[in-house]
Amino acid sequence: MATGMISALPLAAALGEVGDFGDGLIVLVRWLHALGAVAWIGGSVFFALIVRPAQRVDPEGVGKVIGRLVGPYRELVDASIITIVVTGLILMFERLT
C-alpha cells in the first residue's frame, strides 16, 4: 500500500492537490501548448536547416524524400497550430479570471 502512495506522489505533485484538478489541468494545458510550439518550430527548423540545403546538393534524390515528408509534416503543423490556438485561448481566459 505504501509503495502505491509513493509512486503516486509525482503525479499528485504534477496535478496539484488531490481535490484540486484546476491547477493540474492548467499544467497539462501549458505542457500541450509548449509541446505544440516545439513540434511546429522543430519541424520548421528541420526543413530549413536539413532538407532545403540537402535539396540543393541532390535535387532529385531529396525530392523523393520531400514528397514523403510533406504529408506527415503538414499534419504535424496543422495539429500544432490547432493545439497552440486552443491551449493559448484557455491560458488567456485562465489569466483573465
Side-chain angles (χ1 to χ4, degrees):
M1 183 75 159
T3 345
M5 291 178 68
I6 292 172
S7 65
L9 287 177
L11 180 61
L15 295 177
E17 295 298 321
V18 174
D20 186 15
F21 289 109
D23 289 340
L25 183 62
I26 293 303
V27 168
L28 176 65
V29 168
R30 285 182 181 155
W31 271 97
L32 289 173
H33 192 75
L35 182 65
V38 167
W40 185 14
I41 293 170
S44 298
V45 168
F46 172 73
F47 260 86
L49 298 180
I50 305 294
V51 175
R52 293 298 177 196
Q55 188 178 22
R56 288 188 204 119
V57 174
D58 183 17
E60 292 178 17
V62 176
K64 296 174 186 175
V65 174
I66 289 176
R68 286 185 278 175
L69 289 176
V70 168
Y73 177 69
R74 186 74 226 161
E75 292 174 6
L76 174 73
V77 168
D78 292 344
S80 296
I81 290 173
I82 291 169
T83 301
I84 291 169
V85 169
V86 170
T87 57
L89 289 171
I90 292 170
L91 292 171
M92 180 185 69
F93 285 115
E94 189 269 333
R95 290 255 174 159
L96 292 175
T97 58

